[in-house]
Amino acid sequence: MTRAEMRKAAAKGGKRGGATGGPGGGPGAGGAPGKKRFIDYPRFGKQGFRRWLPSWRQWLSACLIVFAACVGTVFYLYQTTTIPPLKDLVKDQNNIYYWADGTEMTRKGETNRQIVELADISPNLQNAVIAAENETFRNDSGIDPMGMMRAVYNMARGGQTQGASTITQQYVKNAYLSQEQTLDRKLKEFFITLKLNQETSKEEILKGYLNTSWFGRGTGAQAAAQAYYGVNAKDLDLCQSAMLAGLLKGAALYDPSLKGNHERAEARWKWILDRMVETKNATAEERAKCTTFPDPIKPVPPSNMNGQVSYLVDVANRYVMQKDKTITQQALEKGGYKIYTTFEKDKVDALKKAVDDVKAETLNPQKRPDNDNWVQFGAASIRPGDGAIVAIYGGDGVENQHFDNNADAQGVQVGSTFKPFVLATAMQVGVTTSADEKGKPKRINADSRYLSDDLSEIRRPDGSLIMDETTGKPYRQKNEDKGKRGYVSLRQAMQWSYNVPFVQLNQDVGGQNVANIAEQMGIRKDSFADPKTTTFPLGTSTISPIRMADAYATLAASGKQADPYSVKKVEWQGAARPGFNKPELKQALEPAVADNVTDVLVNVAKNGTGSKSNALGRPVAGKTGTTDQNKSAWWVGYTPQLATSVAMWREDPAKHERLSLNGTGGKDSVHGGDTPTDVFTRYMKAALANEPKMDFPSPQPVGTQVDSSGAPSTATATASPSATETAPTTAPDPGQQQPQPTATQGPACVPGVDCPGTMPSPSQTKTHPTGGGNPTPTCLIPALCGSTQPTSTATPTDPPTSTGKPSKPGTSPSASGGGAQAAP
């Protein structure tokens, strides 16, 4: 029986018992359920799981209690929520940036925020914003329930917030924007939105929204109108208003004055104009008057952003937003952060002075207007084994209308400065044309010899020829030097920046392997050209000076790579933000591999195309680079303490088109060993003036000598200079003829591959894995067989003959165009 039934039975039993005069005679005697509980749970009189199953009355009671609690909570939060005055939402706050030593660098914040009445904001802008952002604004409740649910769901999952799609919600978001993207903040936004929509008119909400929205060059409609068009907000026409409304989706993407944004901005401008007609916010006749995109005026930066400061702030801001996703561009614009950078003022000043001095001595735009105009430099300096960016050169300064940060530019091909990545891959991964005792690609050393003759054919690892897609004939790679130098060591090929050996070596190791090693060393994956292309090893990739300096810093640190960083600490309201610890070191290359590549690059700096760096007066390693049609020139060099990259190019500012450096500075052509190396040397002299001279680690042996197909195995082979080759008494000028290996006539064909009747008998020789090559001894243990490679005492004497650019598949062998040139 249930508890109620038992009580009824007990009551009846008591009455009967009383009539008979016997106590306890009824059925209720001894079986009464006892005192009634306030909550009958677990339920009396039920057996098994039914005892724990609430009754419908209990379910209903619980639901009513929870509902009442929720209503009470909502009512309490609604009543206690306050809407801050508009003037408190646009208080000026600065971000403060500090040098590495803790002294203040600059302050950046809005100083031209102005609250204006809605009547002082053009109806054109009001209507454009409503059409683009929230067409039902004038009639909706101010809440987008689906958007709010989506935002809360993503917040709970730890993802980025979404939602807040109505103008009212966006206004509240602007008002409460902070780095704390939490559920608590989203709840506050929800209740403020409810209260705001109930207590404030649509006109006041629109006024608040337009006064607190970020337009890229400033916060608020008045500041944006002045910054972009030099007029007051009330004087904006329809065409200008549509452009400004487009910025609300993201000024970083839709500000047409930013590089790469113009086409995107114009497309959104047209879309907004069409939307205004569709939503009855403009007539077709008014829309028809907007035929030409209203380009904004050039920005006028504050004076405290002049020189290199704006570029330093740009690099720091990008790093902050990358490390802390809650700090957006809009949050930075609102201000209030203290940002402690890694930039060292003395080194920043020294790098700028080096560039300015070289430009003053070299360039004369008045005398050579067709050659010395629009010359640009980008540079970066990084501490090896740490990753700290200590200095950059970003351009001529925003005060000279140069807004792009050249130190972080990713549109300039790097040329032959890419070749060390190919050599490092061959030393660490090995060449697929030869196998070790375990059947893996054989790792090679810098004494391995490759054919260096100009216009040589290039072969795949299986020995087949790479064909020119245009002519259908075998592809032939060009060198800067048109001579035939025969087979030279990779050390010597790097010293004189021959293209042919490294294009063939790239085939032997695999372009994707080269890309993987370069990425491990610090190059961003998205900056690579297609690794499958024949000219990939010649630097067709477009890598920023910062990343090139970082990758070479990996070599300077014996293979340890650290991601480049520019900010050590960020504070908000007195508390340090998490996530700004120093990047961890990763072993990207084996120490022996990195040190051997450094040894090769020391020879480049000492005796090769980078010999101008000898003026530094201390051990230095590096590589020059010049690209196809002489459109850029590089030098990336390092000492044990600093790695510095310097890039030079010309660009038409109107068309953003790369121009040739031929004729710049009065020289027929500009190589990486010229002006960029000069800038490097001047800067490093000043930057390292108070630091001791340090030697690079002595390289331990790595790999074995694995010559390419066709390399002669007699003393007629061209010798490769040793790592300890003595420097010339007078440093040669890379811009003039250089002493190089004696020219020899290379084979007209590769024996065993395309020379008729020369296939050696398998019983006599061991065939190179490419399917060809000269006979090589079958000795399996080189250490017991003696050297099979001759030691030559030949001295480099012949100068290069004339220049020639590398061609690529798809071009005629005689054409001068093609992939990036890897000349010095």
Side-chain angles (χ1 to χ4, degrees):
M1 289 189 297
T2 65
R3 189 178 183 88
E5 290 170 340
M6 293 179 69
R7 282 199 296 271
K8 290 178 182 179
K12 291 179 180 179
K15 291 178 180 180
R16 287 197 295 270
T20 59
K35 186 178 180 180
K36 180 180 180 181
R37 291 185 293 175
F38 179 72
I39 300 177
D40 184 23
Y41 192 84
R43 296 168 67 188
F44 186 82
K46 299 294 182 181
Q47 300 298 321
F49 79 92
R50 294 184 66 190
R51 294 188 67 221
W52 303 96
L53 189 66
S55 68
W56 66 271
R57 292 184 180 89
Q58 290 172 330
W59 275 113
L60 180 60
S61 299
C63 290
L64 289 173
I65 291 171
V66 171
F67 178 75
C70 289
V71 171
T73 301
V74 169
F75 180 78
Y76 172 79
L77 292 174
Y78 183 84
Q79 290 297 323
T80 56
T81 297
T82 58
I83 303 173
L86 181 59
K87 61 181 178 62
D88 291 339
L89 304 181
V90 291
K91 284 184 177 178
D92 291 340
Q93 295 188 78
N94 286 310
N95 293 324
I96 307 176
Y97 298 82
Y98 298 90
W99 294 106
D101 62 3
T103 58
E104 185 175 316
M105 177 198 304
T106 192
R107 295 179 179 235
K108 186 175 187 292
E110 297 297 339
T111 58
N112 61 342
R113 296 182 182 179
Q114 301 177 46
I115 301 174
V116 295
E117 296 299 322
L118 192 61
D120 292 324
I121 299 175
S122 170
N124 292 316
L125 181 59
Q126 298 177 39
N127 293 333
V129 168
I130 291 172
E133 298 293 313
N134 183 191
E135 63 177 285
T136 62
F137 166 73
R138 292 187 173 93
N139 302 310
D140 64 26
S141 62
I143 291 290
D144 175 14
M146 293 301 296
M148 291 295 294
M149 291 175 62
R150 184 168 60 248
V152 172
Y153 174 71
N154 285 338
M155 191 87 70
R157 292 176 55 199
Q160 294 187 3
T161 58
Q162 297 179 24
S165 57
T166 70
I167 284 178
T168 307
Q169 287 175 278
Q170 290 184 56
Y171 170 39
V172 172
K173 187 176 181 180
N174 291 344
Y176 279 86
L177 181 66
S178 71
Q179 73 282 0
E180 298 295 338
Q181 302 285 350
T182 62
L183 286 172
D184 176 66
R185 204 213 71 179
K186 293 303 295 183
L187 285 173
K188 286 182 179 179
E189 284 184 11
F190 177 77
F191 287 111
I192 291 175
T193 301
L194 284 177
K195 197 163 190 176
L196 191 68
N197 196 68
Q198 290 295 320
E199 299 182 359
T200 309
S201 67
K202 289 291 186 179
E203 288 72 17
E204 283 297 311
I205 293 172
L206 185 58
K207 168 190 169 183
Y209 176 67
L210 292 174
N211 276 289
T212 59
S213 291
W214 181 62
F215 288 86
R217 292 189 189 176
T219 300
Q222 176 66 13
Q226 288 285 352
Y228 283 97
Y229 293 111
V231 300
N232 291 321
K234 65 180 180 181
D235 298 323
L236 290 167
D237 62 30
L238 180 66
C239 308
Q240 296 168 336
S241 297
M243 197 289 289
L244 292 179
L247 298 173
L248 296 175
K249 189 175 177 66
L253 292 173
Y254 294 98
D255 184 342
S257 59
L258 298 180
K259 190 174 181 179
N261 281 358
H262 199 280
E263 184 177 347
R264 187 187 304 114
E266 186 168 354
R268 180 157 178 80
W269 173 71
K270 291 178 180 178
W271 178 85
I272 290 175
L273 289 170
D274 292 340
R275 284 288 297 163
M276 292 182 72
V277 176
E278 293 173 15
T279 59
K280 311 291 191 222
N281 283 292
T283 65
E285 291 75 16
E286 291 172 330
R287 162 68 178 90
K289 295 178 181 179
C290 294
T291 57
T292 303
F293 182 75
D295 283 310
I297 61 176
K298 292 182 178 180
V300 181
S303 59
N304 64 338
M305 288 289 115
N306 289 348
Q308 297 304 300
V309 173
S310 65
Y311 309 125
L312 299 173
V313 168
D314 173 68
V315 171
N317 285 348
R318 288 174 184 269
Y319 185 79
V320 167
M321 290 187 289
Q322 173 194 342
K323 298 297 289 185
D324 190 336
K325 299 300 183 182
T326 67
I327 304 178
T328 64
Q329 183 70 40
Q330 190 173 355
L332 284 173
E333 289 293 330
K334 190 172 183 181
Y337 295 92
K338 291 184 176 181
I339 299 174
Y340 296 83
T341 75
T342 60
F343 303 124
E344 300 178 22
K345 187 176 187 305
D346 61 332
K347 291 180 175 57
V348 171
D349 291 343
L351 186 53
K352 182 180 185 302
K353 185 177 187 303
V355 174
D356 289 346
D357 289 350
V358 169
K359 287 170 63 177
E361 296 172 15
T362 306
L363 305 179
N364 191 333
Q366 288 74 34
K367 182 178 179 180
R368 294 179 292 270
D370 295 334
N371 300 105
D372 288 7
N373 268 321
W374 307 326
V375 177
Q376 299 190 27
F377 289 84
S381 192
I382 290 177
R383 288 204 180 278
D386 183 279
I389 306 173
V390 298
I392 62 169
Y393 180 85
D396 293 336
V398 292
E399 69 274 19
N400 295 313
Q401 301 301 308
H402 184 91
F403 300 101
D404 296 333
N405 187 351
N406 290 349
D408 204 22
Q410 297 183 11
V412 183
Q413 293 182 336
V414 297
S416 282
T417 57
F418 199 83
K419 288 176 181 174
F421 304 139
V422 184
L423 181 59
T425 306
M427 289 181 172
Q428 178 144 318
V429 177
V431 292
T432 58
T433 53
S434 185
D436 60 17
E437 62 275 7
K438 296 181 180 179
K440 295 181 178 180
K442 183 173 286 187
R443 299 167 61 173
I444 72 176
N445 61 26
D447 292 324
S448 301
R449 294 174 299 157
Y450 272 68
L451 182 64
S452 66
D453 291 350
D454 184 42
L455 292 177
S456 291
E457 295 173 343
I458 304 298
R459 298 179 180 275
R460 298 183 177 88
D462 63 4
S464 62
L465 289 168
I466 292 179
M467 306 302 291
D468 190 306
E469 296 176 358
T470 302
T471 65
K473 297 179 180 179
Y475 169 72
R476 294 180 180 274
Q477 179 58 54
K478 290 187 174 186
N479 288 327
E480 177 79 2
D481 168 32
K482 291 186 177 180
K484 293 188 179 298
R485 307 293 169 182
Y487 285 83
V488 300
S489 69
L490 292 174
R491 180 189 308 278
Q492 199 166 352
M494 189 77 77
Q495 177 182 348
W496 299 115
S497 203
Y498 294 142
N499 294 334
V500 172
F502 288 98
V503 172
Q504 184 60 62
L505 182 61
N506 181 75
Q507 290 293 321
D508 294 349
V509 300
Q512 189 57 55
N513 287 331
V514 173
N516 294 341
I517 289 294
E519 186 178 358
Q520 290 174 205
M521 293 174 65
I523 304 301
R524 295 176 62 90
K525 187 176 182 178
D526 58 10
S527 62
F528 289 128
D530 185 358
K532 299 184 184 66
T533 58
T534 308
T535 53
F536 178 67
L538 303 184
T540 54
S541 300
T542 55
I543 305 167
S544 72
I546 289 176
R547 284 290 172 171
M548 286 302 292
D550 183 64
Y552 275 55
T554 300
L555 297 173
S558 294
K560 294 184 178 67
Q561 190 270 337
D563 289 336
Y565 69 102
S566 57
V567 174
K568 300 182 292 185
K569 183 172 65 172
V570 174
E571 290 183 353
W572 167 261
Q573 295 181 347
R577 299 290 302 160
F580 290 93
N581 298 326
K582 184 184 298 187
E584 294 182 2
L585 284 175
K586 295 164 285 188
Q587 194 71 46
L589 295 176
E590 294 179 11
V593 170
D595 292 343
N596 272 273
V597 175
T598 292
D599 189 56
V600 171
L601 298 184
V602 166
N603 185 53
V604 172
K606 191 175 184 180
N607 305 309
T609 58
S611 58
K612 272 193 174 181
S613 64
N614 287 328
L616 184 56
R618 62 173 69 214
V620 60
K623 183 68 186 77
T624 54
T626 307
T627 57
D628 188 34
Q629 300 177 17
N630 208 208
K631 289 187 176 180
S632 64
W634 287 75
W635 168 260
V636 188
Y638 56 96
T639 67
Q641 300 103 319
L642 278 182
T644 301
S645 63
V646 180
M648 175 184 179
W649 68 92
R650 289 182 68 219
E651 181 176 341
D652 184 335
K655 300 179 181 178
H656 293 291
E657 181 181 288
R658 297 279 187 271
L659 304 173
S660 176
L661 288 168
N662 290 338
T664 299
K667 298 181 180 179
D668 291 339
S669 62
V670 177
H671 292 163
D674 293 324
T675 307
T677 307
D678 193 6
V679 171
F680 167 89
T681 304
R682 295 184 189 216
Y683 160 69
M684 294 289 274
K685 273 185 178 181
L688 298 174
N690 298 321
E691 298 196 31
K693 295 181 181 180
M694 294 179 63
D695 291 320
F696 293 106
S698 298
Q700 299 301 310
V702 63
T704 57
Q705 182 171 334
V706 180
D707 297 333
S708 68
S709 275
S713 56
T714 66
T716 59
T718 304
S720 64
S722 67
T724 57
E725 183 176 5
T726 304
T729 305
T730 303
D733 182 355
Q736 300 176 0
Q737 292 184 335
Q738 303 292 321
Q740 295 193 31
T742 303
T744 59
Q745 179 62 47
C749 57
V750 178
V753 178
D754 55 359
C755 290
T758 59
M759 179 68 73
S761 169
S763 63
Q764 297 174 328
T765 60
K766 179 181 177 182
T767 304
H768 192 281
T770 58
N774 262 19
T776 58
T778 57
C779 176
L780 299 178
I781 308 177
L784 300 180
C785 304
S787 173
T788 61
Q789 300 300 333
T791 300
S792 173
T793 58
T795 303
T797 57
D798 288 358
T801 54
S802 60
T803 61
K805 307 296 182 183
S807 61
K808 62 181 178 182
T811 61
S812 169
S814 62
S816 62
Q821 179 194 338

